[in-house]
Amino acid sequence: MKKIEIIIRPSKLEDVKQQLSAIGIHGMNYTEIRGFGRQRGHTEVYRGSTYEVDCLPKIKLDIVIHDEALDKVLAAVTSSARTGNIGDGKIFIYDVLDAMRIRTGERGNAAL
Amino acid sequence: MNAADTAFVIICAAMVMLMTPALALFYGGLVRSRNVLSTSMHSYASLGLITVLWAVVGYTLAFGGDVGGLIGNLSYLFLNNVGAANNGPVDNLPHTAFMAFQCMFAVLTVALISGSYAERIRFSAMLLFSALWLIFAYCPMAHWVWGGGWMAQMGAVDFAGGAVVHMASAAAALACAHAVGPRLNLGRSMSPNNLPMTLLGGGLLWFGWFGFNAGSALAANELAAHALVTTHLATAGGILGWMLVEWKRTGKPTTLGVISGALAGLVAITPAAGFVGIMPSIFIGFVGGIICYGGVLLKNRLGYDDALDVVGIHGVGGTWGAFATGVFAIASVNKVDGLLAGNPHQLWVQVVSIVATWVFVYVVSRILLCIVNALVGLRVTPDAELSGLDLSEHNERGYSL
């Protein structure tokens, strides 16, 4: 099992969700986060004073999948989240030891 | 006694009362979310504290019989002799109506100062300073201008409070900014927490200002109608002035700029509303919007932290308005001619009143702040400031979303 952590633009959340549903991923969690990387922040002006805001809003999706599904998922995410500009986000992939569905006690892939 | 005038002034008093909650919304939206309640509290505390002090001692010091041109006597202490009879300064109104109308001005003026020390003052210090300031700064100023004191005797005119309300609160605000010192981490992440709330507050201030300026005619007459029109037009001019200069300087017009420009126009026309013609009022508001934009930039140049720009808007706008009154006043409106109508003397007395107001109120405020600092300490600890005054001073949070 793999856990993938996907950081994307907030405007791309719906596209990514739709693409993942289309390839059979029916569960995920997402969090609204703030952060910065290579993409520069933006400028805000209040009464003539200019402030540089460097932390931008992003969405972080967490999904746990079967090992075989990984390439399909990566392809779906990159095709739906990419704009080609700096700030499209990153994907981190982790190995998962085990999983368990609380209701039934199922373990491993069956719990996903 | 006149029933129409009485009804009008009662409604205007209620409209001016609404300006203080409106100010709480206006200021509350501009601070960071951890100080939204403390900043709103400054306005509501003024409604409680200043109202009571006004009834006990403030009204008589401002409007009691003149003592040497400096202060009112104690004939109205505890509102003694202030009843339904028309024995007040104006004989078309019950004395109570006049007293209540003036009470709302005092409350608002004290609340206005809070924009400068927001986000770092100790609440007890704010209360003590406000109480002392009402007695030692506001009451003398109100007496000098409206209670028959030396500024009135000299012939300086201030229709609805350019000196008493706006310059006085701004001079106090400057003293507070100097005495309390700048906020920690100034310049980093100072985004307003809720600009829509600020816009709502600003809009309500505009509404209340009709009571403030038109009501200052103290009668439902032609002068009140004139003041309402000049007030509305100057505010519109202020919006355009601020928007224009901001668009040119930073590339985009902002909603905060538009509502700040409206306020600048309102402040600028306040002393002039019942003295200048209608077309000049547009000019006064327009120029007010432009120079108040410059006014808010001053604090960065001069290095004081007037958090919500009381000096930049009320100080600069009020000073401009008092000056412009001396330039544009015309006797056909209200018996006073200014420079353009061939009476340069009026401009001279306006300038004297401007300088006297700034110097008197600044000096008194600094002295009072010294006393308050020695008694309770002006400023919260750095930890309390960084965690926000809502929690550290009031055990509350504004938003639990």
Side-chain angles (χ1 to χ4, degrees):
Chain A
M1 282 180 296
K2 294 275 189 282
K3 175 185 167 187
I4 42 184
E5 191 178 293
I6 308 162
I7 295 170
I8 56 169
R9 297 179 191 274
S11 58
K12 288 293 183 185
L13 176 62
E14 288 306 316
D15 292 346
V16 172
K17 260 184 358 197
Q18 213 168 17
Q19 282 290 323
L20 289 175
S21 291
I23 60 163
I25 305 290
H26 295 303
M28 67 183 74
N29 297 312
Y30 76 86
T31 336
E32 293 172 14
I33 56 168
R34 282 174 180 276
F36 63 93
R38 281 195 208 168
Q39 184 188 14
R40 286 172 44 216
H42 61 264
T43 302
E44 292 181 11
V45 181
Y46 299 105
R47 282 186 174 159
S49 296
T50 305
Y51 301 96
E52 295 297 335
V53 179
D54 47 21
C55 283
L56 294 171
K58 294 283 172 188
I59 296 283
K60 187 176 83 174
L61 286 157
D62 290 300
I63 311 173
V64 179
I65 52 171
H66 306 174
D67 289 333
E68 312 81 74
L70 182 63
D71 289 337
K72 228 166 41 170
V73 168
L74 293 181
V77 171
T78 44
S79 72
S80 55
R82 178 183 287 156
T83 69
N85 296 315
I86 294 177
D88 277 349
K90 285 201 173 67
I91 301 175
F92 302 101
I93 302 156
Y94 307 82
D95 280 323
V96 174
L97 284 180
D98 201 354
M100 178 173 170
R101 190 188 304 279
I102 293 175
R103 176 169 54 85
T104 58
E106 290 164 286
R107 304 291 289 265
N109 282 341
L112 297 182
Chain B
M1 194 108 67
N2 180 306
D5 293 350
T6 304
F8 175 65
V9 170
I10 287 172
I11 290 167
C12 286
M15 288 171 72
V16 180
M17 179 272 159
L18 187 66
M19 291 173 75
T20 302
L23 190 72
L25 292 173
F26 185 80
Y27 280 173
L30 285 174
V31 294
R32 288 161 294 173
S33 52
R34 57 182 183 259
N35 296 312
V36 59
L37 292 177
S38 118
T39 303
S40 308
M41 184 92 153
H42 294 157
S43 289
Y44 282 92
S46 176
L47 273 165
L49 178 69
I50 301 303
T51 299
V52 171
L53 281 174
W54 184 252
V56 171
V57 65
Y59 179 68
T60 194
L61 291 177
F63 292 97
D66 181 51
V67 180
L70 294 175
I71 195 78
N73 67 22
L74 298 181
S75 53
Y76 302 138
L77 195 64
F78 293 101
L79 297 186
N80 207 10
N81 301 318
V82 180
N86 57 343
N87 61 342
V90 280
D91 61 11
N92 57 331
L93 301 174
H95 200 162
T96 43
F98 177 79
M99 183 282 296
F101 183 64
Q102 292 297 337
C103 172
M104 306 311 174
F105 280 62
V107 167
L108 178 69
T109 307
V110 171
L112 282 173
I113 305 169
S114 68
S116 96
Y117 53 63
E119 302 197 293
R120 59 209 190 278
I121 199 164
R122 196 183 290 280
F123 186 63
S124 54
M126 178 269 162
L127 288 179
L128 186 56
F129 172 71
S130 298
L132 293 170
W133 192 85
L134 175 82
I135 291 165
F136 292 102
Y138 185 83
C139 290
M141 279 301 307
H143 182 77
W144 296 354
V145 176
W146 296 325
W150 69 270
M151 280 190 191
Q153 292 164 15
M154 179 178 75
V157 292
D158 180 1
F159 191 69
V164 183
V165 175
H166 297 294
M167 267 186 268
S169 61
L174 185 62
C176 287
H178 282 148
V180 178
R183 287 165 290 173
L184 299 173
N185 298 333
L186 192 62
R188 267 194 269 156
S189 63
M190 302 306 254
S191 312
N193 81 83
N194 193 340
L195 279 184
M197 190 162 99
T198 294
L199 290 169
L200 175 62
L204 287 173
L205 280 169
W206 190 341
F207 170 79
W209 226 294
F210 292 134
F212 196 93
N213 283 5
S216 288
L218 295 171
N221 58 14
E222 304 86 337
L223 186 60
H226 183 88
L228 182 134
V229 172
T230 53
T231 300
H232 191 57
L233 288 175
T235 313
I239 288 182
L240 297 181
W242 190 300
M243 191 160 70
L244 208 74
V245 65
E246 181 173 53
W247 207 330
K248 191 155 168 44
R249 188 169 169 279
T250 54
K252 283 179 189 161
T254 64
T255 50
L256 177 57
V258 162
I259 201 65
S260 303
L263 222 62
L266 285 162
V267 169
I269 200 62
T270 294
F275 291 105
V276 303
I278 287 174
M279 285 302 124
S281 74
I282 301 177
F283 178 77
I284 290 171
F286 185 78
V287 172
I290 292 173
I291 62 174
C292 287
Y293 181 83
V296 303
L297 298 178
L298 266 184
K299 66 176 179 183
N300 301 329
R301 291 272 164 78
L302 301 180
Y304 56 87
D305 182 23
D306 170 18
L308 310 180
D309 299 307
V310 189
V311 179
I313 293 180
H314 298 272
V316 172
T319 303
W320 157 243
F323 184 84
T325 307
V327 174
F328 295 103
I330 185 147
S332 58
V333 173
N334 194 5
K335 303 185 282 287
V336 177
D337 270 331
L339 179 69
L340 294 182
N343 180 18
H345 178 71
Q346 189 61 40
L347 185 57
W348 167 245
V349 294
Q350 295 300 111
V351 170
V352 172
S353 75
I354 289 168
V355 174
T357 301
W358 275 100
V359 172
F360 169 73
V361 177
Y362 181 83
V363 171
V364 168
S365 302
R366 281 307 289 266
I367 294 169
L368 296 178
L369 287 161
C370 268
I371 295 169
V372 172
N373 194 31
L375 290 176
V376 296
L378 283 173
R379 208 174 159 135
V380 297
T381 61
D383 266 0
E385 184 180 337
L386 292 175
S387 64
L389 302 192
D390 291 3
L391 265 181
S392 66
E393 292 290 284
H394 308 294
N395 281 354
E396 290 176 293
R397 272 186 305 142
Y399 305 101
S400 307
L401 300 174

